Amino acid sequence: MKKKMLLLNTTVLLGLGGVLSTPAYASTIQNMESQKSQIQNQRQDVQSNIKAASDELTRLQAEQDQMKAQLERLTLAEEENNKKAEKTEADIKETSKQVEQLEKEIKLLQEKLEKRNDILKDRARSMQESGGNVEYLQVLLGSSSFGDFVDRALAVSTIVDADRGILTETKNMQDELKTKQADVKSKLASLEDMKAELDEMTVQLAAQKKQKDALAKELKDKEAKNEELKASLQSKDSSLANEQSTLEQNIKDQKAAEEAARKAAEQAAKEAAKKAAEQAQKAVAAPAEKADSSSAKAEAPKASSNDVAPTSAPAPKASNVVTVGNRWIGNSAYVFGGGRSQSDINHGLFDCSSFVHWAYAQVGVNLGPLGSVSTETLKHAGTQVSSSQMQPGDLVFFDTYKKDGHVGIYVGGGKFIGAQSSTGVAIANMSSGYWKQKFNGRVVRI
């Protein structure tokens, strides 16, 4: 009887194992794992592409931010230069009025002097006719001009008091005339310099406006490209999300189906075993043992991640006056009189002399009060050397709208760095072209 029971139990267990280990079940699991691996690889590729696109998006955004900052600097520079142009126009008008007034005063003085000249001539003739002082008459006849006559007449000791008073007053009027004439010449020269500066500013404003418009167009194009890249990324992300959702649902459905099939097979095996046991019990009249089934263990995939600590390159540190200004290249704008306040410096707004002052200050060299720095003060700030002995760090001067109207820092190789009117801070070639023509040979070593 025991042998029959052992045989019966073995038959039931083998039948149950056969049901749970069918080739169809193993094939379904294998196909599911293969599909899962393929989709994981595909997802890794998509995620890699998304990361590359995101990096490009970040780069474009940083470039946009930089361009926007430069546009703001140029706009601010344009406003400041317009204010300067308006003030210069007002100064020209005021100086013109002063010149006109001086010319009127000079004309009146000249008329008075002509009347005095006639009076003195009459006095000399009267003295000659009355047999007066011959020396006085010789002074009049021997003078080369009326001014010469007045100077010589005052030296004659034998002049009557009345004539001496007239001559003295005439001499004072002549001196006043010379002073006013010199004042007129000085104001006219100043007026010409202001006009030249205004013309130069007008050209520079036009160049800055053109540069700003070009940057605006470039910014617009890059923004369009950025939006297109965003749309592409969003489409890829949506497609990936849908594919992932579909995959997860398929995997879930497949697992549910396999689980249902396994439970059905298990239930069928149990029922078959029960039926066989009942038959055996009837045959041997003894209780039959029910077979236990074992559950398959699913091995969960392990996810791993590699965290990479972000690294950043150390910020460049300027080593000397030749390279310290490189940080402003492409990040600055030229403003007449700019760079003399911390606000201007923070916004990268310089003129040529204030940039030189700032650059030397960064390496610990003080070139005098910032508020009054100019090309005139800088050309006396050190020792003048021959242009054939130029060294990096020397100041170089150029005749632009006036003599020594522009200054920069020599960097070597026939180039200099400075705040240029059309570009802001930039490195320019002084070995050829415009700057070679404008270089006047003045080199100052600090």
Side-chain angles (χ1 to χ4, degrees):
M1 183 180 295
K2 289 183 179 180
K3 288 182 178 181
K4 290 182 178 180
M5 289 295 298
L6 180 61
L7 180 61
L8 179 60
N9 290 339
T10 301
T11 302
V12 170
L13 291 175
L14 287 174
L16 180 61
V19 171
L20 296 178
S21 302
T22 60
Y25 183 80
S27 176
T28 301
I29 294 295
Q30 185 177 2
N31 290 339
M32 184 178 66
E33 293 296 338
S34 176
Q35 290 177 5
K36 179 180 178 181
S37 177
Q38 291 177 2
I39 293 176
Q40 284 179 333
N41 291 335
Q42 183 180 0
R43 188 176 181 184
Q44 288 178 355
D45 292 340
V46 172
Q47 288 177 340
S48 177
N49 292 335
I50 289 178
K51 183 180 182 305
S54 297
D55 291 343
E56 177 66 9
L57 183 62
T58 300
R59 186 191 69 79
L60 283 174
Q61 187 62 54
E63 189 172 350
Q64 283 187 34
D65 293 341
Q66 184 177 4
M67 290 180 65
K68 287 180 180 178
Q70 181 65 0
L71 281 171
E72 291 175 359
R73 276 189 291 270
L74 287 175
T75 300
L76 184 58
E78 187 175 13
E79 292 174 356
E80 292 298 323
N81 284 339
N82 281 331
K83 291 177 183 178
K84 178 69 174 177
E86 291 173 1
K87 184 179 183 302
T88 303
E89 284 283 9
D91 291 342
I92 288 175
K93 291 179 180 179
E94 181 62 27
T95 304
S96 297
K97 291 179 181 178
Q98 294 176 6
V99 169
E100 290 177 2
Q101 182 61 34
L102 283 174
E103 289 176 344
K104 290 179 181 178
E105 294 177 5
I106 288 173
K107 185 176 180 180
L108 290 175
L109 280 174
Q110 288 175 337
E111 291 175 355
K112 288 181 181 180
L113 286 175
E114 288 176 0
K115 292 179 180 179
R116 291 298 175 93
N117 188 14
D118 294 338
I119 292 173
L120 289 173
K121 286 181 179 179
D122 290 342
R123 297 282 294 174
R125 291 191 188 96
S126 176
M127 184 177 292
Q128 180 184 14
E129 292 171 356
S130 62
N133 190 338
V134 177
E135 184 181 6
Y136 190 11
L137 182 59
Q138 290 176 343
V139 167
L140 176 60
L141 297 176
S143 59
S144 59
S145 65
F146 181 66
D148 183 39
F149 163 71
V150 173
D151 291 335
R152 295 175 65 177
L154 286 173
V156 177
S157 60
T158 58
I159 299 176
V160 295
D161 292 339
D163 289 349
R164 184 176 297 277
I166 294 174
L167 288 170
T168 300
E169 186 178 356
T170 302
K171 175 63 175 175
N172 292 338
M173 291 174 66
Q174 283 184 325
D175 292 342
E176 183 181 0
L177 175 60
K178 290 179 180 179
T179 300
K180 288 184 179 292
Q181 286 176 328
D183 194 13
V184 167
K185 290 181 180 179
S186 175
K187 287 185 178 295
L188 283 175
S190 176
L191 184 62
E192 290 173 356
D193 285 346
M194 282 193 291
K195 185 62 171 64
E197 185 176 356
L198 178 60
D199 291 342
E200 183 76 10
M201 286 191 339
T202 302
V203 172
Q204 290 163 1
L205 284 173
Q208 288 180 344
K209 183 65 168 60
K210 184 177 180 181
Q211 182 183 12
K212 188 178 76 170
D213 291 343
L215 283 175
K217 184 179 183 304
E218 185 178 353
L219 177 60
K220 185 176 181 180
D221 293 342
K222 286 185 178 292
E223 285 178 345
K225 182 178 180 180
N226 193 14
E227 291 300 326
E228 182 180 349
L229 181 60
K230 279 185 178 180
S232 176
L233 281 175
Q234 291 170 351
S235 177
K236 284 182 179 295
D237 184 63
S238 177
S239 176
L240 177 62
N242 291 335
E243 187 175 353
Q244 182 176 353
S245 178
T246 301
L247 170 64
E248 290 175 350
Q249 186 62 44
N250 289 341
I251 292 176
K252 183 178 179 180
D253 293 344
Q254 288 178 5
K255 286 185 176 181
E258 294 292 350
E259 184 67 17
R262 185 171 62 176
K263 286 182 178 180
E266 185 177 317
Q267 184 63 30
K270 285 182 179 181
E271 291 177 357
K274 181 178 179 181
K275 185 175 181 180
E278 290 175 351
Q279 292 176 352
Q281 187 175 20
K282 290 178 180 180
V284 299
E289 297 180 359
K290 296 183 178 181
D292 296 331
S293 64
S294 60
S295 301
K297 296 182 180 180
E299 182 177 355
K302 295 182 180 180
S304 64
S305 62
N306 295 323
D307 296 332
V308 180
T311 59
S312 59
K317 182 178 180 181
S319 59
N320 54 51
V321 73
V322 174
T323 58
V324 71
N326 290 350
R327 57 169 290 194
W328 293 115
I329 296 176
N331 298 304
S332 60
Y334 185 94
V335 174
F336 273 99
R340 287 164 178 77
S341 68
Q342 193 57 47
S343 176
D344 278 359
I345 294 174
N346 291 342
H347 287 89
L349 305 179
F350 296 96
D351 65 10
C352 60
S353 53
S354 65
F355 170 74
V356 169
H357 186 284
W358 174 87
Y360 268 93
Q362 304 313 297
V363 295
V365 178
N366 185 355
L367 296 181
L370 176 59
S372 59
V373 66
S374 66
T375 55
E376 289 298 315
T377 63
L378 290 177
K379 73 182 184 182
H380 300 297
T383 303
Q384 188 164 339
V385 299
S386 171
S387 60
S388 63
Q389 298 176 341
M390 274 193 302
Q391 296 179 4
D394 290 345
L395 304 188
V396 287
F397 291 80
F398 305 84
D399 292 343
T400 52
Y401 72 95
K402 67 176 183 178
K403 185 171 180 59
D404 298 317
H406 189 72
V407 63
I409 302 172
Y410 187 65
V411 300
K415 297 180 180 180
F416 75 99
I417 186 171
Q420 328 303 4
S421 60
S422 60
T423 61
V425 176
I427 295 176
N429 188 355
M430 57 184 290
S431 298
S432 62
Y434 176 82
W435 292 112
K436 180 180 180 180
Q437 296 174 1
K438 296 298 181 179
F439 179 52
N440 62 15
R442 187 187 298 279
V443 180
V444 173
R445 183 162 298 160
I446 303 300

